[in-house]
Amino acid sequence: MLKHFILSAVSFMLAASVAVAQSFVMDIDLKKQGPAIQATQYGIFFEDINFAADGGLYAELVKNRSFEYPDDHLQGWKAFGKVTVKDDGPFERNPHYVRIADPGHPHKWSGLENEGYFGIGVREGEEYRFSVWARVPGGGSSELRAELVNTASITETQTLCQEKLAVSGDAWKQYEVILKPGSTFDKAALRIFLVGERVTVDLEHVSLFPVDTWKGHRNGLRKDLAQALYDLHPGVFRFPGGCIVEGTDLATRYNWKNTVGPVENRPLNENRWEYTFTHRFFPDYYQSCGLGFFEFFLLSEEIGSEPLPILSCGLACQFQNDDKNAHVPVDGLQPYIQDALDLIEFANGPVDSEWGRLRAEMGHPAPFNLKYIGIGNEQWGSLYTERLEPFVKAIRAAHPEIRIVGSSGPNSEGEQFDYLWPEMRRIGVDLVDEHFYRPYNWFLSQGARYDNYDRKGPKVFAGEYACHARGAKWNHAYASLLEAAFMTGIERNADVVHMATYAPLFAHVEGWQWRPDLIWFDNLRSFRTASWHVQELYGRFKGTNMLALKMSGANVTGAEGQGGLFASAVSDGNRIYVKVANTSEESRDISFNFTGLKKKDVVRAVEGVRLDCSDRLAENTLEDPFKVVPEGFRFDGEGRQIDASVPPLSFSVFVLTVQ
Ligand code: AHR
C-alpha cells in the first residue's frame, strides 16, 4: 500500500513538473529573408453602409442639401411661412431649389429648418461654414439669417449662434458665412429665416461644413474618422464598396462619373441599403456623392494607400435580382467597359486628356497613380464570367500595367467559390476577391487556409471579412482575437495573399444596419473597436519580408496539439516581429528558437504589445472607448533562444532585434 502511494505521488510530481515545463518551441529561420510583404498587405474597405458617407465620413451636415430627395423634395427639412419647391435651378442634374417669400403678415416668418443626419453635431467655439447658392429672382437685394438651434432647449433661447447673410441680384451666386456656436450640442438643427425687407429669395445647395476638416479641404471629411483611417497604416483603400457597386437595380448602381466634377451638379443616388433591412429601415438613405471618386483618390493618397476602385460589371445585385433581364446584356456592356477605361484616364491620364483634364480642374493635375481596378463585387456564375471577360480583354489591351481584381463570389467556400476560382485563372485576373463573414469555429479552423494555395495563379485579396459570432454580433474582444489568429495565416502566406481588408468600415450608432463594423461614431464622437486595434497592430508591424516560423516542423495554425496557438513572423531590417494569438484558456509558455543566424549575431528582446481578450464579450463603446486596447509589455532575453509566455485569450506582438 505504502509502495503504491509513493509510486503514485512520484508519478504525480513528475507529471506536474512536465506540465509546468511544457513549452511550445517556435523555430524561426533567419537564414534567408522570405518573399516580400506587399505594400498593400493590410488595408481599408469603404462602403456607404450604416451612414458611412453622408452623415459619417463626409463632413457635410445638411441632409438633402439640393432638395433632390425624390419622394419628398423637402425631406429632412421643415418649411415655414411661404416656401415653394421649384425645378428650373442652375444645376441641370440637380434642378430643384426653394423659393422663400414674404409670409404676408408682419408677425409671420418664412424659412426652413434642416434636421441633419440624426441631428447636427456642433462644438462650442468651432467654426462652421454655412454656404448657399442664392439669387433674388426679381433683382435687388434680400437678407437671410442662418442659425444653429437646439430645438429641445428649455432655456431662454434655442439659438446656439446666428449670422446674417445679404443676397443680391438675380444671378445665381454662392454665399457663405461662418457660424460659431456658443455651446456644444450633438443634435442641433440649421434654421434659415427670411429677414429684413423679406424680399423673395431662391436657395439651392444649402450646405454646412466644419471649417476644421481632415487636411482642411472645403468639401472635406470628418477629422476624427479620417484620422482613424490614417492611424491604421493602410496599404490599400478599396472603394466604393460592396453591394453598393451593384445597386438594388442597375439604375442605382454606383456610377463613378456621377460622383466627380462640381459637387452641386453631382446627381443624387438612391443608396443600395435604403430598402434592404426593414428591421432597421431608413427610408431617407441617399447618396449625395459629395464624397465621390475624386475624394476617394485624394483620401487614398493622404492616408498612404494604393487606391482600389471596384466598378460595376453590368450585373445588378445578384441576391436581389433573379431575372436575367435585370442585368446588362453581354453585347450591351461597351458603355460599362468604357467607364472602366475612362476611370483609368481620370486617375492617371495626362491633363490634356478628357478625364485627366477634369482631375486637374478638380485640383489634382498630378496623376493618382492608379495600379488596381476591381470588376464586379460579389458576383457569381457564368453571368459574371461572361461579363468579366470582355472587361479584362479591353483593360489589358489599353492598360497592361493595371492589375485586375475578379471575384470568387459571396462565400468563403462552396459551389460558387469552386466554380469561380478556376474561372478567374482561365480569364487571367491578377487578384481574386474572397469574402467571409463567418462564426467563431470558422475562424478557429482556418489558420492554414492559405498554406496550400496555388502559388502560380492569381493572388488573393481577402476583400471582406469579419468574425460574426452567433448571439454576439458586435465587436467584442473574442471576435477580434479570432480575426488576429486568422490573420497570422494571411501573414504567413503573404506571397499569395496580397491584400486583406476587414469589412464594413463605419457605422453611425443610430444609423447602422450591419454589424460588426470597424469604427463606430455618433454626431460628435467615435471609437475604434477591438477589431480596429487588431488591424492597426498588423499594419504597424507589417514588416518587409516573410520569415518561416514552425512548431515541430509544422505551421502554427491552431491545429490539434498546438495548444490553441496561431503564430507568424516577419522581418523589417534587423527587426523581427512575431505575432502570437493564444486562443486557449491557458497561459502558454513559448520559446523562440532562432536558427540560421550568423555566428556573431544574437537576437535580443525589444518590446511587446498585447491585446488582452480574456474578457471575451468586452467591447469598446462611445462611453468607454478604451476598454479593449493593446498595451505594451516587457519581455527579456538575448541569445538564440528567447522564452516568453502568452496569457490566455490574448494576441501578442513580440518585437526583437538581430545584433
Ligand atoms: O460589407 C457589407 C456587404 O457584405 C457588402 O456590401 C457586400 O459585398 C457583402 O455582402
Side-chain angles (χ1 to χ4, degrees):
M1 179 67 193
L2 180 66
K3 195 172 149 204
H4 177 74
F5 174 77
I6 291 170
L7 271 178
S8 306
V10 168
S11 53
F12 172 79
M13 279 157 60
L14 270 176
S17 69
V18 167
V20 167
Q22 184 181 10
S23 179
F24 292 87
V25 179
M26 299 187 180
D27 298 312
I28 301 173
D29 183 5
L30 301 179
K31 189 153 188 192
K32 62 177 172 66
Q33 298 243 322
I37 310 269
Q38 301 296 310
T40 53
Q41 189 68 59
Y42 308 108
I44 293 172
F45 160 98
F46 179 89
E47 176 165 23
D48 186 3
I49 183 172
N50 306 317
F51 286 81
D54 298 281
L57 181 61
Y58 185 49
E60 173 63 85
L61 296 167
V62 174
K63 179 155 85 184
N64 191 11
R65 64 186 176 187
S66 293
F67 309 100
E68 295 299 333
Y69 282 21
D71 298 334
D72 171 5
H73 290 288
L74 287 177
Q75 202 164 5
W77 295 93
K78 277 184 193 136
F80 49 90
K82 207 166 164 194
V83 176
T84 45
V85 177
K86 317 271 290 173
D87 65 2
D88 58 346
F91 307 113
E92 52 166 353
R93 300 201 287 183
N94 287 323
H96 295 90
Y97 63 97
V98 289
R99 175 159 293 174
I100 307 181
D102 189 331
H105 188 288
H107 290 272
K108 292 187 183 177
W109 296 95
S110 290
L112 288 168
E113 186 179 297
N114 190 271
E115 66 189 30
Y117 299 93
F118 313 100
I120 293 175
V122 293
R123 284 200 177 81
E124 179 184 348
E126 287 204 3
E127 294 188 331
Y128 296 84
R129 182 181 292 112
F130 168 78
S131 69
V132 59
W133 284 81
R135 69 172 179 183
V136 184
S141 55
S142 180
E143 205 178 355
L144 300 169
R145 191 174 72 231
E147 300 185 345
L148 286 166
V149 295
N150 174 353
T151 58
S153 168
I154 56 163
T155 62
E156 202 60 43
T157 176
Q158 297 175 322
T159 308
L160 304 171
C161 57
Q162 56 175 240
E163 292 293 337
K164 285 200 177 147
L165 192 70
V167 178
S168 61
D170 63 357
W172 286 100
K173 280 180 280 188
Q174 194 175 27
Y175 297 84
E176 67 176 53
V177 68
I178 297 294
L179 297 173
K180 216 173 179 181
S183 55
T184 296
F185 187 45
D186 62 341
K187 290 199 177 288
L190 171 71
R191 209 175 262 165
I192 303 164
F193 286 101
L194 180 65
V195 293
E197 299 297 313
R198 298 156 171 241
V199 177
T200 298
V201 69
D202 291 339
L203 305 185
E204 163 66 308
H205 198 86
V206 183
S207 172
L208 183 74
F209 267 90
V211 170
D212 191 17
T213 56
W214 165 255
K215 303 276 180 204
H217 300 303
R218 281 180 73 105
N219 184 51
L221 307 180
R222 203 174 123 169
K223 222 176 163 183
D224 58 332
L225 299 184
Q227 187 68 42
L229 303 186
Y230 178 81
D231 290 347
L232 283 168
H233 329 279
V236 63
F237 182 67
R238 168 187 169 153
F239 57 88
C243 292
I244 214 157
V245 168
E246 305 153 39
T248 307
D249 46 28
L250 285 174
T252 55
R253 77 182 195 281
Y254 199 98
N255 179 348
W256 76 266
K257 286 179 175 167
N258 287 344
T259 74
V260 292
V263 285
E264 295 84 353
N265 207 18
R266 299 184 192 174
L268 189 81
N269 194 31
E270 179 186 290
N271 191 301
R272 154 69 175 74
W273 299 103
E274 176 170 351
Y275 296 114
T276 309
F277 297 114
T278 49
H279 63 291
R280 287 190 59 83
F281 192 58
F282 297 98
D284 55 353
Y285 197 1
Y286 292 93
Q287 298 176 274
S288 72
C289 300
L291 171 54
F293 262 42
F294 178 84
E295 291 76 21
F296 284 132
F297 278 119
L298 194 60
L299 179 61
S300 303
E301 188 172 271
E302 290 174 345
I303 59 178
S305 293
E306 293 293 346
L308 170 50
I310 309 284
L311 297 190
S312 161
C313 65
L315 289 172
C317 176
Q318 287 175 268
F319 287 111
Q320 299 183 327
N321 294 280
D322 290 334
D323 180 0
K324 274 192 178 166
N325 299 322
H327 311 301
V328 184
V330 175
D331 62 5
L333 279 174
Q334 194 43 44
Y336 286 68
I337 294 172
Q338 194 57 47
D339 281 353
L341 298 175
D342 290 344
L343 178 64
I344 297 168
E345 185 175 292
F346 177 73
N348 295 350
V351 296
D352 57 359
S353 63
E354 181 189 351
W355 291 99
R357 182 178 308 118
L358 178 59
R359 181 192 71 239
E361 282 165 9
M362 292 184 75
H364 203 287
F368 281 119
N369 202 13
L370 176 70
K371 299 189 183 90
Y372 302 91
I373 197 166
I375 304 298
N377 173 44
E378 274 180 356
Q379 327 297 167
W380 62 82
S382 59
L383 278 183
Y384 176 47
T385 52
E386 65 195 13
R387 283 169 179 74
L388 177 64
E389 276 194 86
F391 274 91
V392 172
K393 277 190 188 129
I395 295 170
R396 291 270 186 253
H399 294 284
E401 74 285 4
I402 295 288
R403 305 192 71 204
I404 303 172
V405 182
S407 167
S408 62
N411 299 313
S412 48
E413 49 270 305
E415 206 182 315
Q416 293 153 356
F417 185 90
D418 292 344
Y419 168 74
L420 281 170
W421 252 103
E423 282 293 280
M424 292 304 109
R425 275 189 207 100
R426 180 182 68 75
I427 294 169
V429 299
D430 299 292
L431 292 110
V432 178
D433 185 8
E434 296 189 350
H435 292 182
F436 22 90
Y437 299 103
R438 290 290 183 259
Y440 293 155
N441 57 0
W442 187 91
F443 276 85
L444 282 167
S445 69
Q446 294 292 309
R449 179 179 178 89
Y450 295 114
D451 290 357
N452 297 313
Y453 259 51
D454 173 11
R455 262 50 197 176
K456 295 197 201 86
K459 305 301 178 194
V460 175
F461 169 31
E464 294 186 30
Y465 66 92
C467 179
H468 279 213
R470 294 195 183 100
K473 230 173 162 208
W474 62 87
N475 296 88
H476 53 289
Y478 186 58
S480 73
L481 172 63
L482 299 193
E483 287 153 9
F486 174 72
M487 288 174 78
T488 58
I490 290 181
E491 184 166 277
R492 184 173 50 255
N493 292 284
D495 57 327
V496 70
V497 187
H498 278 193
M499 302 174 176
T501 57
Y502 177 103
L505 181 62
F506 284 124
H508 192 294
V509 291
E510 290 176 66
W512 71 269
Q513 294 180 308
W514 178 298
R515 65 179 181 170
D517 306 286
L518 207 61
I519 300 160
W520 287 77
F521 57 92
D522 67 5
N523 287 348
L524 289 175
R525 302 169 295 171
S526 56
F527 71 89
R528 302 163 178 194
T529 60
S531 295
W532 185 95
H533 288 290
V534 166
Q535 297 292 321
E536 191 276 330
L537 288 174
Y538 272 93
R540 184 168 15 140
F541 298 107
K542 182 166 58 142
T544 56
N545 289 80
M546 295 160 56
L547 288 177
L549 179 154
K550 307 262 182 195
M551 226 156 59
S552 306
N555 292 331
V556 187
T557 61
E560 184 94 37
Q562 293 191 324
L565 296 172
F566 295 69
S568 56
V570 294
S571 64
D572 189 354
N574 65 346
R575 292 259 148 147
I576 301 167
Y577 307 137
V578 186
K579 303 189 181 74
V580 182
N582 179 5
T583 62
S584 79
E585 297 276 357
E586 314 288 325
S587 177
R588 299 291 183 212
D589 291 331
I590 52 179
S591 275
F592 300 127
N593 180 36
F594 295 99
T595 59
L597 272 169
K598 289 195 191 117
K599 250 192 182 154
K600 60 175 183 35
D601 285 346
V602 289
V603 177
R604 196 163 55 78
V606 176
E607 58 165 344
V609 189
R610 177 169 291 148
L611 192 66
D612 173 5
C613 302
S614 55
D615 184 357
R616 285 173 180 249
L617 295 185
E619 58 174 326
N620 296 336
T621 60
L622 285 173
E623 287 68 37
D624 195 358
F626 305 114
K627 197 174 166 90
V628 192
V629 293
E631 282 177 8
F633 67 90
R634 276 200 53 187
F635 72 109
D636 297 314
E638 187 172 302
R640 292 176 179 229
Q641 182 180 318
I642 292 183
D643 298 332
S645 80
V646 279
L649 301 172
S650 64
F651 173 55
S652 310
V653 182
F654 294 89
V655 180
L656 306 109
T657 184
V658 182
Q659 290 181 324

